[in-house]
Amino acid sequence: LGPNRMLSALENVDSKNNIMPLVMTKWVMTHGDFYSCYAQKCSLIALGMILTSGDPRPYKMHVQVERVREPPPGRRPTRQNAGTQKLKIMLATEMVALLCREYHQLFVEKVEAEARKANGGDSDDDEEVDLSEMLFLSKPRIEDEVEEIPEIKDSPFYPIDLMDFISNVLRLIKAKGGPALAQIGRELNQQSREIFEVALKQNNRQPKP
C-alpha cells in the first residue's frame, strides 16, 4: 500500500466525515509516543515517503502547534517577544520539523558515539556504530529489539540508514521548490531551518541493498 493509496483509504473510511486530517495530525503529533525504536524508525520512513510521494494532501492540511515565540530577525529576545504562541501551520511543515528534530538527535548521537570510541569507549570491539540501528541513547537500540523479534531483520525498512534517508527526503523537497517550500521555510522555527540546511549538506550515500 503506497503513500497515495494509504491517504485515499483514510479519506474513504467514512464518506461523511473525512478522518484523514485527524489521523495524520495524531500520527505526527504523537510520534514520540511510539513504543519501540523500530516502530519510530518505520514511522519516520513512512512520513518521509508521504512527503515525497507527490501527493498534495499533506500540503493542504493544517495543524495547530505551540511554539516558542521567536524575536524578529536581527533582534534579541525581550520580555515582550518571549513565551510561546499557538500557530496554525501546514501538516507538511510539522512533518518536516519532525524529520529535522530526529536528524539532529541522530547527529548528536553520532558525535557522542564517536567521542566515546575515541576515548576508549565502553565496548570490547572496534565495530563502527551503525546509526541506522539507533534512535535515542536512552532507549533500547534496534538490535536489542531484534533479539526479541527476529522478523524485524526481514523488513525492507531495517537496513535503511535514517540520517541518509532524512537528508534525501529534505533534498527532494528542496529540489521541488515552489510555494510549498517557501511556506515550509516561513513556518519552520529557526533551529529547524538550520538543521534543514545542515542535512542538505550531508554526503549523499547510496542506499544499502
Side-chain angles (χ1 to χ4, degrees):
L1 187 63
N4 305 76
R5 291 180 62 188
M6 184 196 74
L7 294 177
S8 296
L10 288 174
E11 268 188 333
N12 297 328
V13 168
D14 187 335
S15 58
K16 294 182 179 179
N17 302 300
N18 182 10
I19 67 168
M20 181 180 63
L22 175 62
V23 172
M24 291 300 300
T25 298
K26 285 289 186 180
W27 179 2
V28 175
M29 303 304 287
T30 62
H31 165 83
D33 296 334
F34 286 11
Y35 177 72
S36 69
C37 288
Y38 185 67
Q40 292 192 28
K41 178 177 183 177
C42 292
S43 170
L44 291 170
I45 293 172
L47 289 173
M49 293 172 66
I50 290 172
L51 276 171
T52 56
S53 67
D55 196 304
R57 285 171 285 193
Y59 297 86
K60 293 181 178 179
M61 291 182 281
H62 291 80
V63 59
Q64 189 175 66
V65 298
E66 187 168 349
R67 294 266 184 85
V68 174
R69 194 184 302 273
E70 295 183 335
R75 296 187 182 182
R76 294 181 178 180
T78 64
R79 289 185 178 180
Q80 287 73 24
N81 59 36
T84 61
Q85 59 181 335
K86 291 184 178 180
L87 301 172
K88 189 175 183 180
I89 64 174
M90 279 195 310
L91 178 62
T93 301
E94 187 60 19
M95 293 165 73
V96 170
L98 173 60
L99 292 177
C100 288
R101 290 194 296 271
E102 300 301 338
Y103 182 91
H104 175 71
Q105 182 64 41
L106 287 166
F107 182 82
V108 170
E109 289 180 355
K110 177 181 180 181
V111 172
E112 292 180 347
E114 290 177 348
R116 289 198 305 274
K117 185 175 180 180
N119 293 329
D122 51 10
S123 68
D124 297 328
D125 56 56
D126 295 326
E127 184 178 350
E128 183 179 355
V129 175
D130 186 352
L131 295 176
S132 69
E133 297 184 349
M134 60 192 301
L135 273 178
F136 306 104
L137 290 172
S138 59
K139 295 183 179 181
R141 290 173 59 176
I142 289 179
E143 63 257 31
D144 295 329
E145 296 173 8
V146 169
E147 294 181 4
E148 299 181 10
I149 312 175
E151 293 80 9
I152 287 176
K153 279 195 170 182
D154 298 327
S155 165
F157 288 175
Y158 177 78
I160 293 177
D161 184 295
L162 270 177
M163 285 189 75
D164 283 352
F165 177 82
I166 293 174
S167 65
N168 286 333
V169 167
L170 299 182
R171 283 192 192 96
L172 289 172
I173 294 172
K174 177 80 171 181
K176 187 175 181 180
L181 177 64
Q183 186 169 346
I184 289 172
R186 290 192 300 270
E187 293 178 344
L188 288 176
N189 62 23
Q190 181 63 31
Q191 183 183 38
S192 293
R193 288 194 293 270
E194 292 174 356
I195 296 170
F196 192 115
E197 293 302 320
V198 169
L200 293 178
K201 298 175 183 177
Q202 179 183 331
N203 291 332
N204 189 11
R205 295 186 296 177
Q206 292 297 317
K208 298 177 182 179

